[in-house]
Amino acid sequence: MTAPAHPLAAALLAGERRALARAITLSESARPEHEVQAQALLAEVLPWAGRSLRLGLTGVPGVGKSTFIEALGLRLADAGHRVAVLAVDPSSARTGGSIMGDKTRMPGLAVHEGAFIRPSPSGGTLGGVARRTREAITLCEAAGYDVILVETVGVGQSETQVAAMTDLFVLLALPNAGDELQGVKRGIMELADLCVVNKADLDPRAAVRAQTQLRAALTLLTPHDAPWRPRALRASAVTGEGLDEVWAAAQDYAREMDLPRRRQAQAAVWFDELLREAAWKQFVAGTSPHRLTELRTSVQAGRLTAVQAVAALLAGQPS
Ligand code: GDP
């Protein structure tokens, strides 16, 4: 193997936190020359990436995500793991007044030498934010982080993106599961490999009821031949109760599931998505805006079907 060429690569691979932070900043930059450099760096360190367990974590604001990540992350870091916390929050990086992945929300983990916390890339489209976070995962893994926690807020499309970049997806719920189930979109429940009723310390009996309800809902949502039966657990991020069980379940999942295959499938979908986006951009850049508007108007007015309009555009015919 030849010596690393990018100036940041050696320090990054040696696990230097500052190099990692700078590499992520480089990958977040919108400047074209930075993008070229970032892609070169990513390609260079790629062979060292992939050796982690990637957990996605979601739940409505206030459910206790940052408290939970702090408590679980500290446990893992104290046990010798290197834990990276990333976030996907396209809502201008602010949700419910808190910044996703903000260090001040995880004060213990923020100063732990085995942990690295990076807030959500701000601004841009969900696709852009998700891409930056994917790249950050690669960079963290190359820097030796073996547990990657990706936080997202349980209200929209970002969950699908995070589930597509992680190995398992954890939904945090509140002990009042009846109300909670109404608040959580069915689509998010369908993504969950683990559901954890947090704040079980507040009302243990309600937490048991919630766990039972969640378990029933998960059973209904899971096809009979699914390779993994999603589990419902109880925990308290404040007392630490149940956190070991959550980690044990994550490890069961990692053992029982074919993670390399899941990642290969994710990579293929990701490639297709990027290709679709790039091909679309390239096509639109080479097409007269007037022509696009003309055809769109024809479709709106019912003069052409959408299929005819697209065919005309691709064939370069006048409408
Ligand atoms: P997030 O918005 O989902 O990140 O929620 P936070 O982690 O900021 O937590 C919201 C509030 O719930 C904070 O006041 C936490 O201290 C509290 N909290 C979080 N987890 C627990 C828990 O397990 N038990 C109790 N009693 N409070 C908790």
Side-chain angles (χ1 to χ4, degrees):
M1 180 120 340
T2 51
H6 194 283
L8 278 176
L12 178 74
L13 293 173
E16 283 179 28
R17 200 190 296 250
R18 273 188 50 201
L20 173 58
R22 285 180 55 202
I24 295 177
T25 302
L26 189 66
S27 86
E28 287 176 353
S29 168
R31 287 169 59 177
E33 70 270 26
H34 287 168
E35 182 161 3
V36 171
Q37 286 175 32
Q39 291 306 315
L41 177 62
L42 280 160
E44 194 172 329
V45 302
L46 203 53
W48 285 273
R51 286 167 226 162
S52 77
L53 186 59
R54 306 168 184 165
L55 274 85
L57 230 129
T58 194
V60 294
V63 72
K65 288 180 296 301
S66 49
T67 314
F68 187 89
I69 290 173
E70 158 103 341
L72 180 66
L74 275 175
R75 241 163 226 249
L76 296 174
D78 283 343
H81 289 285
R82 295 190 67 206
V83 181
V85 180
L86 306 171
V88 172
D89 182 3
S91 55
S92 76
R94 268 173 193 283
T95 307
S98 52
I99 302 168
M100 300 288 287
D102 179 18
K103 291 180 191 181
T104 59
R105 293 166 72 222
M106 304 166 195
L109 206 53
V111 297
H112 198 295
E113 63 175 28
F116 177 85
I117 302 176
R118 181 84 180 190
S120 174
S122 58
T125 60
L126 170 59
V129 170
R131 174 181 146 188
R132 304 289 180 260
T133 305
R134 275 174 190 269
E135 292 175 348
I137 291 177
T138 300
L139 294 167
C140 288
E141 287 177 346
Y145 289 85
D146 65 320
V147 179
I148 314 280
L149 302 172
V150 186
E151 179 187 13
T152 182
V153 69
V155 290
Q157 278 300 307
S158 51
E159 279 60 44
T160 316
Q161 293 282 344
V162 171
M165 67 176 83
T166 50
D167 299 319
L168 81 158
F169 197 63
V170 182
L171 171 67
L172 291 189
L174 290 166
N176 53 338
D179 312 341
E180 174 71 9
L181 280 178
Q182 289 161 23
V184 173
K185 296 191 178 67
R186 183 192 154 114
I188 296 179
M189 279 281 287
E190 281 171 347
L191 295 173
D193 301 300
L194 292 180
C195 280
V196 181
V197 179
N198 189 38
K199 305 197 185 185
D201 60 297
L202 288 180
D203 187 345
R205 286 177 58 191
V208 172
R209 273 199 306 276
Q211 183 186 15
T212 309
Q213 283 174 314
L214 279 169
R215 192 172 281 148
L218 289 170
T219 304
L220 278 178
L221 285 172
T222 309
H224 293 298
D225 56 353
W228 171 259
R229 318 283 328 155
R231 297 185 194 170
L233 303 168
R234 270 173 293 137
S236 165
V238 165
T239 67
E241 172 205 341
L243 292 180
D244 288 341
E245 285 77 4
V246 170
W247 182 241
Q251 285 180 305
D252 284 348
Y253 180 93
R255 230 184 348 263
E256 290 172 27
M257 300 294 284
D258 187 349
L259 294 188
R261 214 174 121 199
R262 177 179 164 118
R263 289 179 180 187
Q264 278 169 15
Q266 287 176 333
V269 170
W270 177 231
F271 169 75
D272 289 349
E273 255 177 55
L274 282 184
L275 178 62
R276 226 183 341 263
E277 191 187 302
W280 160 256
K281 271 194 194 148
Q282 195 177 342
F283 182 80
V284 169
T287 305
S288 110
H290 172 70
R291 176 84 174 123
L292 268 180
T293 308
E294 188 182 54
L295 283 166
R296 191 178 286 117
T297 309
S298 294
V299 172
Q300 283 174 325
R303 287 192 295 276
L304 282 177
T305 69
V307 171
Q308 286 173 323
V310 170
L313 198 57
L314 289 177
Q317 295 163 1
S319 53

